[in-house]
């Protein structure tokens, strides 16, 4: 009934962009908001078992929220773009990425697609190499699987308006957000002090999953041009380069439903081929475009092995664009950190 109604309604009356998106998008959005609320409720209870469940539920709700932000950036959910902006802003608050504007995050991600590169405001690797003591501290934290670099990158976002002149206008906004979030956290912590441990734990789990997915999806060059208009480098690479330097990192090829854990974000070649296709169509699109024996797929076992094996080395690593991922299916793929679309740096 809903599918048929979507087909006949005028565009201004439609909620979802595609008729087949009503059910999957409604379920994903409901899960993100419902899981977030339930997760917070559970981590404030006195039961350790409920606390543990709450940490995982809260973390996964934020993961789904993050990938819904990605869908909003590509305008794949709703018929009207302002609805993407409204939902995107709410989800940024849920994921703790609200210090950067929604349009700023969207702009950065579109530069990634258009320039066929990782476009950033600054290359943190060069800075870290100049401060070996600080770098060593980050490396020791990463040894114990604390996502120190990504925590640093997320906290760099509210600092950037006080460092970059081009973002000076965002200073008041950042201060207000810090105060509001700080007051809310303080109020909840007074009633349930355990959230001071459990919420950061859930947040770190989210960061691990997001950077696990980001680490092995490209061997792109890195441009420090986010704060300036696209230059000649934006036209340096063609679609063939983009395809051959993009990789599909699924959780499972045999059981595609497992890829819903990250909202099908692992179907990355299909996404770059058709960026306006919504998340729920990507498995079928990938199969139609590339077939069953797709050489750009990195097995999940290799992903997990490389993620933990190179977790310290990856902090300052940049994969060269000529690095051969395909021949051994990413068995020694170091990957990159700090390229999350949520950071806006």
């Amino acid at each position: 009934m809903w599918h048929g109604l979507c087909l006949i309604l005028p565009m201004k009356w439609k909620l979802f962009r595609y008729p087949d998106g009503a059910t999957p998008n409604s379920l994903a959005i409901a899960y993100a908001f419902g899981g977030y609320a339930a997760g917070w409720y559970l981590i404030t209870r006195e039961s350790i078992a409920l606390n543990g469940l709450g940490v995982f539920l809260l973390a996964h709700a934020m993961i789904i929220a993050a990938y819904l932000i990605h869908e909003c950036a590509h305008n794949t959910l709703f018929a009207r773009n302002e609805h993407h902006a409204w939902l995107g802003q709410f989800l940024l608050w849920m994921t703790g990425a609200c210090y950067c504007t929604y349009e700023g995050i969207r702009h950065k991600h579109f530069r990634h697609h258009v320039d066929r590169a990782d476009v950033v405001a600054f290359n943190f690797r060069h800075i870290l190499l100049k401060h070996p003591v600080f770098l060593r501290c980050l490396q020791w934290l990463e040894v114990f699987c604390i996502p120190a670099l990504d925590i640093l990158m997320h906290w760099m976002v509210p600092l950037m308006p006080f460092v970059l002149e081009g973002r000076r206008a965002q200073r008041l906004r950042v201060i207000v957000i810090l105060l509001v979030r700080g007051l809310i956290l303080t109020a909840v912590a007074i009633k349930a002090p355990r959230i001071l441990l459990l919420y950061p734990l859930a947040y770190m789990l989210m960061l691990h999953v997001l950077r696990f997915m980001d680490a092995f999806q490209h061997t792109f060059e890195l441009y420090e041009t986010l704060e300036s208009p696209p230059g000649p480098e934006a036209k340096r690479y063609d679609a063939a380069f983009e395809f051959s330097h993009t990789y599909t990192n699924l959780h499972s090829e045999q059981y595609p439903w497992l890829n819903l854990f990250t909202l099908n974000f692992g179907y990355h070649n299909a996404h770059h081929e058709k960026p306006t296709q919504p998340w729920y169509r990507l498995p079928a699109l990938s199969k139609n475009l590339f077939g069953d024996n797709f050489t750009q797929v990195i097995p999940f076992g290799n992903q997990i092995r490389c993620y933990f094996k190179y977790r310290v080395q990856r902090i300052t690593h940049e994969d060269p664009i000529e690095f051969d991922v395909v021949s051994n299916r990413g068995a020694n793929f170091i990957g990159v950190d700090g390229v999350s679309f949520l950071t806006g740096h």
Side-chain angles (χ1 to χ4, degrees):
M1 177 180 177
W2 179 261
H3 186 280
L5 188 62
C6 286
L7 289 173
I8 62 174
L9 282 174
M11 180 63 72
K12 66 179 181 178
W13 290 354
K14 291 181 180 178
L15 178 58
F16 295 102
R17 177 173 180 175
Y18 301 109
D20 61 343
T23 298
N25 289 335
S26 296
L27 289 173
I29 293 169
Y31 176 81
F33 280 94
Y36 186 78
W40 268 105
Y41 174 80
L42 291 173
I43 66 172
T44 62
R45 301 303 92 189
E46 295 185 1
S47 166
I48 295 177
L50 292 180
N51 291 164
L53 177 61
V55 167
F56 284 102
L57 181 57
L58 181 58
H60 191 234
M62 291 191 290
I63 290 165
I64 296 300
Y67 290 121
L68 284 172
I69 294 170
H70 177 254
E71 294 296 314
C72 288
H74 283 281
N75 297 329
T76 64
L77 302 179
F78 302 115
R80 298 171 61 182
N81 288 347
E82 58 262 38
H83 292 161
H84 289 108
W86 296 344
L87 178 61
Q89 293 285 3
F90 275 113
L91 295 173
L92 286 174
W93 276 83
M94 286 173 54
T95 57
C98 48
Y99 305 106
C100 186
T101 66
Y102 168 74
E103 285 303 325
I105 285 177
R106 191 168 183 266
H107 170 72
K108 177 188 175 182
H109 191 65
F110 266 75
R111 287 287 301 274
H112 166 69
H113 278 271
V114 173
D115 295 6
R116 299 182 172 107
D118 290 322
V119 183
V120 296
F122 60 91
N123 189 343
F124 64 84
R125 298 162 187 84
H126 299 164
I127 299 172
L128 290 178
L129 289 172
K130 294 178 181 178
H131 299 85
V133 175
F134 183 64
L135 173 58
R136 192 61 180 162
C137 291
L138 293 179
Q139 290 171 331
W140 270 110
L141 290 170
E142 294 283 355
V143 166
F144 295 99
C145 293
I146 297 173
L149 178 66
D150 281 74
I151 293 171
L152 175 65
M153 289 298 99
H154 277 261
W155 276 107
M156 281 299 298
V157 176
L159 291 177
M160 286 175 66
F162 302 92
V163 177
L164 298 178
E165 190 62 30
R167 300 195 186 188
R168 183 184 181 91
Q170 297 182 28
R171 290 181 179 180
L172 178 60
R173 177 180 176 277
V174 166
I175 292 172
V176 170
I177 292 173
L178 283 168
L179 287 173
V180 171
R181 285 178 61 85
L183 288 172
I184 293 173
L185 185 64
T186 300
V188 178
I190 290 173
K191 184 172 181 60
R194 66 189 63 208
I195 67 110
L196 295 176
L197 171 66
L198 299 178
Y199 174 65
L201 183 58
Y203 196 78
M204 286 192 289
L205 287 175
M206 177 195 72
L207 292 181
H208 268 299
V209 172
L210 295 186
R211 74 171 182 175
F212 172 75
M213 296 302 297
D214 290 330
F216 308 114
Q217 290 186 331
H218 296 288
T219 46
F220 279 177
E221 283 203 73
L222 189 144
Y223 298 152
E224 296 179 90
T225 58
L226 185 60
E227 299 299 304
S228 59
E233 72 281 347
K235 300 179 180 179
R236 184 174 180 182
Y237 298 114
D238 59 13
F241 172 90
E242 180 179 16
F243 172 80
S244 63
H245 290 73
T246 300
Y247 308 98
T248 292
N249 54 333
L250 304 178
H251 306 315
S252 175
E253 296 179 72
Q254 185 177 2
Y255 303 106
W257 61 269
L258 288 174
N259 298 298
L260 292 173
F261 180 77
T262 51
L263 220 60
N264 289 332
F265 193 66
Y267 292 94
H268 216 60
N269 285 88
H271 169 63
H272 271 256
E273 288 290 313
K274 304 285 184 181
T276 59
Q277 288 297 296
W279 60 273
Y280 55 86
R281 291 183 183 175
L282 292 181
L285 177 63
S286 183
K287 186 177 180 64
N288 291 337
L289 288 174
F290 313 124
D292 293 321
N293 298 311
F294 185 35
T295 59
Q296 300 295 113
V297 176
I298 303 173
F300 185 70
N302 287 350
Q303 297 174 47
I304 286 287
R305 192 178 305 110
C306 290
Y307 181 73
F308 288 102
K309 180 180 180 180
Y310 301 118
R311 65 186 183 277
V312 176
Q313 183 179 348
R314 192 181 302 115
I315 293 178
T316 56
H317 180 75
E318 293 180 50
D319 285 308
I321 60 173
E322 66 272 13
F323 179 72
D324 182 10
V325 175
V326 173
S327 63
N328 63 4
R329 306 195 72 188
N332 60 343
F333 195 175
I334 297 175
V336 292
D337 278 339
V339 293
S340 173
F341 59 87
L342 285 184
T343 57
H345 79 274

